[in-house]
Amino acid sequence: GDYVVAAIPPLGGWREEDDGAEIKSLTSGDLQRVLASPSSTAVSPGGSLTINAGGGPNAQGRPGTVDYAPVFFPGTADVSASSTITIAAAEERTGVDLQLRLVPTARIEGKVSGLPGAPLPPLEVTLTNTLRPMTASIGAEADTTPDSSGAFHFGGVLSGSYTILVRPETGDGPPHAATDVLWAMAEITIDGHDVAVPLQLQPSLTASASLVFEGASPPKPQDLATARWVLQRYGSGPGLDGPRGQIDANGRMIFKGLMPGRHVLVALVSPALNGWSLKSSVVRGKESLDGSVDVQTGADLTDWVITYTDHPTEISGTLQNSSGRSTSDYFIVVFSTNKADWIPRSRRIAQTRPGNDGRY
């Protein structure tokens, strides 16, 4: 296959809770004092590493810090300028060498303010690189917890565009409860200088959808009380991280406790919907079933129609072995030829097992 090779440092990583582990740059005078110290060559485990990288103190008077920048083979910081490596079967490739370079980093400090007269709930703060084309598992995301006053910080942050998201700690809000939560969000740009980011908690948003059933005997609203839908935050991982929809007295599906951003509708298997298949999910006049539901700041989402049908497309046949006899000891998978559709819970991937007569 074709591959891009990169060296990616963690975003804030282990340094977010311990500034002593940041790499600090020294002035020439600092360097001379370090070299004159009898213990200048000893670095204790977990201690700071100080190097002569130039730059001196930043605008806030704090010693300047540096870190290794992401690099893509053959030696560029721009993924669009990287070289693609094509590997054939059983081939080994050598000489894919990467040279790291140190660049200035910054510290992000902030304070989360709650609603007037209300104490701060347990919160977590997530810093995400909005442009890095990699997953959080290799350094595009970092988390921290604010102190009792709401103060937090991230150290060793490389230049770039970032999103700061404040939300309840895991387990303190949805996905399983249709409750309101508090959140805050900010978009910032880092250019090597420290920044301060005040954040004000806001009430969560609500999304509601009309349910349309195209068929002879649509289920009654009371029957849908046992059905389950999840509005999962886009890119939140394999779990069902998001509030569950509930049917109100008018038969509308309600999602509470939402934060702004892209979400994916997940319809769980339910006896109340046996024989029914999702046909479309139209948000503000645009089909979203194969994309995402965009929840926007400042307004609840109400222009949303979800349509089910009892006449879905079907593929059927008989599975036979090489001698022409029916067999059932296999899974049969049907999937799109478009690789973009090869995602978890894709509507264009389905599997089944044949019956004893080979029919599926």
Side-chain angles (χ1 to χ4, degrees), residues 104 137 146 253 348:
S137 62
M253 182 167 53
R348 292 178 171 81

Side-chain angles (χ1 to χ4, degrees), residues 26-40:
L26 294 182
T27 65
S28 57
D30 292 333
L31 183 60
Q32 293 303 319
R33 285 190 293 272
V34 171
L35 294 176
S37 171
S39 59
S40 63

Side-chain angles (χ1 to χ4, degrees), residues 61-218:
R62 189 176 61 86
T65 59
V66 295
D67 200 354
Y68 292 111
V71 58
F72 298 88
F73 182 79
T76 175
D78 182 4
V79 64
S80 63
S82 61
S83 295
T84 300
I85 299 174
T86 301
I87 302 295
E91 180 182 2
E92 294 185 10
R93 182 67 62 88
T94 60
V96 186
D97 301 326
L98 297 167
Q99 179 64 52
L100 297 174
R101 65 187 183 94
L102 290 164
V103 295
T105 62
R107 176 185 173 96
I108 299 174
E109 295 182 347
K111 187 171 184 179
V112 182
S113 300
L115 299 180
L120 283 177
L123 300 169
E124 66 179 15
V125 184
T126 302
L127 178 70
T128 305
N129 188 318
T130 55
L131 298 180
R132 186 174 294 182
M134 296 291 170
T135 63
S137 62
I138 53 175
E141 191 171 278
D143 298 291
T144 190
T145 302
D147 63 20
S148 58
S149 70
F152 67 90
H153 75 269
F154 294 95
V157 182
L158 296 166
S159 296
S161 299
Y162 294 87
T163 299
I164 299 178
L165 175 64
V166 183
R167 55 186 171 183
E169 281 188 331
T170 302
D172 292 313
H176 299 300
T179 58
D180 292 325
V181 298
L182 297 175
W183 63 274
M185 184 183 297
E187 305 284 343
I188 61 172
T189 299
I190 299 297
D191 60 0
H193 297 90
D194 294 355
V195 296
V197 184
L199 292 162
Q200 177 68 52
L201 291 178
Q202 303 180 50
S204 58
L205 301 169
T206 298
S208 62
S210 299
L211 293 176
V212 176
F213 290 89
E214 295 181 348
S217 301

Side-chain angles (χ1 to χ4, degrees), residues 170-322:
T170 302
D172 292 313
H176 299 300
T179 58
D180 292 325
V181 298
L182 297 175
W183 63 274
M185 184 183 297
E187 305 284 343
I188 61 172
T189 299
I190 299 297
D191 60 0
H193 297 90
D194 294 355
V195 296
V197 184
L199 292 162
Q200 177 68 52
L201 291 178
Q202 303 180 50
S204 58
L205 301 169
T206 298
S208 62
S210 299
L211 293 176
V212 176
F213 290 89
E214 295 181 348
S217 301
K220 297 180 174 58
Q222 58 267 31
D223 297 331
L224 294 174
T226 59
R228 291 291 179 264
W229 298 268
V230 175
L231 202 54
Q232 182 180 19
R233 189 171 181 83
Y234 190 86
S236 60
L240 294 180
D241 179 18
R244 290 189 173 182
Q246 295 191 353
I247 302 298
D248 67 6
N250 298 318
R252 289 182 64 87
M253 182 167 53
I254 310 295
F255 294 93
K256 294 184 178 180
L258 292 170
M259 293 174 287
R262 298 168 61 191
H263 296 74
V264 178
L265 176 66
V266 180
L268 306 180
V269 176
S270 168
L273 295 172
N274 283 345
W276 294 93
S277 298
L278 271 174
K279 179 181 179 181
S280 67
S281 171
V282 179
V283 178
R284 304 184 186 95
K286 182 180 179 181
E287 177 59 59
S288 68
L289 200 54
D290 295 315
S292 60
V293 177
D294 187 15
V295 179
Q296 300 176 355
T297 304
D300 293 335
L301 173 61
T302 58
D303 187 5
W304 185 9
V305 179
I306 297 173
T307 303
Y308 277 85
T309 178
D310 62 357
H311 289 84
T313 305
E314 183 178 280
I315 297 175
S316 61
T318 302
L319 178 65
Q320 297 177 336
N321 59 21
S322 58

Side-chain angles (χ1 to χ4, degrees), residues 315 319 330-337 342 346 348-354 360:
I315 297 175
L319 178 65
Y330 295 87
F331 282 96
I332 298 176
V333 182
V334 57
F335 58 93
S336 168
T337 57
W342 298 359
S346 171
R348 292 178 171 81
I349 301 176
Q351 68 175 22
T352 188
R353 288 290 297 271
Y360 68 91

